[in-house]
Amino acid sequence: MSAVRDDQPGSGRMSHFLAVLSAEGLKLRTLRSTWWNLAAVVALSVGIGFLYGSVIKGNYADFGAKPAFDAVGYGFAGTNVAQLALVCFGVLAVGAEYSAGTVRASLTAVPRRGVFGAAKLTAVAVTAFAVTLPTAFLTFAVAQTAMGERQNASLGDPGALRAVVGLAVYLTLLCLISAAVTMMLRSTVLSLGILVPLFFIVSDILASLPGVGAVARYLPNVAGVQLMRVTPDDRIDVDAWGALGVLLLWTAVALCGGLATLRRRDA
């Protein structure tokens, strides 16, 4: 089999993309906000998971004795707070360049805006998944240990492994949506001002309202809860795979909007 030459068009484009991706990864590593936000994701997920597990252990009659008790879902309760740090990571990973004005230099170095945007979003997604996947397994282990043997779950239980991986996928997609929205809005403050209330306040209120709730239940953060549970959430009419489809649809819309804005608007 002959070797692929570097001067071939496809190989050249891939090499160029990988070079830009490497540069975007370096940018993320040099941002202090990256380390603080990702450390907060780990600390909050594991710490709150341990607290929930400890509380549940001391209240077996109220939790573990019930047939519908979802030990995996309760163990991941801390991610409701931890995902705030991940949203901030996604926003700052993109918005920092717009705030500092360095995006102009980046676009001068990489004139092909589609390549630049795709590399930046890929770097955000890879970094987020590299952190959230081990965090999901660690949180599961700590929370289930804290619950005690009478009511905890094991990784071999039906749906447990799917929920652990599903948590990492959900958090990664939520981070990617946040980054893409920031690419559309080109403002850290505006993006955080919209995404934080939407994901953590407004969505829960809307989901509980008659009429509007039927649609609001399919917002990304509401549908994403289904991925990290073994027992389905009654608020949503789709299973875990359906919820994944909802999340992927939101992600695709956000990515298309972010990349289209980057290509059409001046820096």
Side-chain angles (χ1 to χ4, degrees), residues 11-32:
S11 176
R13 285 194 294 268
M14 179 56 67
S15 298
H16 178 57
F17 176 79
L18 292 177
V20 179
L21 178 60
S22 177
E24 292 303 320
L26 179 60
K27 288 180 188 178
L28 288 180
R29 292 193 296 273
T30 56
L31 283 174
R32 284 186 294 178

Side-chain angles (χ1 to χ4, degrees), residues 43-189:
L44 291 170
S45 296
V46 176
I48 299 178
F50 174 78
L51 291 176
Y52 263 77
S54 300
V55 171
I56 291 170
K57 181 178 182 180
N59 296 272
Y60 176 77
D62 295 329
F63 295 98
K66 297 181 179 180
F69 173 66
D70 188 346
V72 178
Y74 270 96
F76 288 149
T79 58
N80 293 328
V81 180
Q83 65 188 6
L84 174 60
L86 207 58
V87 167
C88 291
F89 163 67
V91 170
L92 292 172
V94 174
E97 284 202 80
Y98 286 101
S99 300
T102 55
V103 66
R104 297 183 183 89
S106 296
L107 292 175
T108 300
V110 188
R112 295 175 61 185
R113 296 191 174 199
V115 173
F116 169 73
K120 180 174 287 292
L121 293 171
T122 300
V124 170
V126 170
T127 302
F129 190 72
V131 172
T132 56
L133 184 61
T135 299
F137 279 97
L138 179 59
T139 302
F140 176 85
V142 170
Q144 300 308 315
T145 300
M147 286 183 194
E149 295 182 356
R150 287 201 300 173
Q151 52 202 343
N152 65 1
S154 67
L155 204 56
D157 291 346
L161 180 59
R162 188 266 304 157
V164 174
V165 177
L167 171 62
V169 171
Y170 160 61
L171 292 177
T172 300
L173 292 179
L174 192 68
C175 179
L176 193 53
I177 290 171
S178 302
V181 168
T182 307
M183 194 170 284
M184 281 189 278
L185 299 177
R186 307 194 301 176
S187 169
T188 299
V189 175

Side-chain angles (χ1 to χ4, degrees), residues 239-258:
D239 59 7
W241 294 109
L244 177 61
V246 172
L247 277 170
L248 290 174
L249 181 59
W250 278 107
T251 304
V253 171
L255 291 177
C256 290

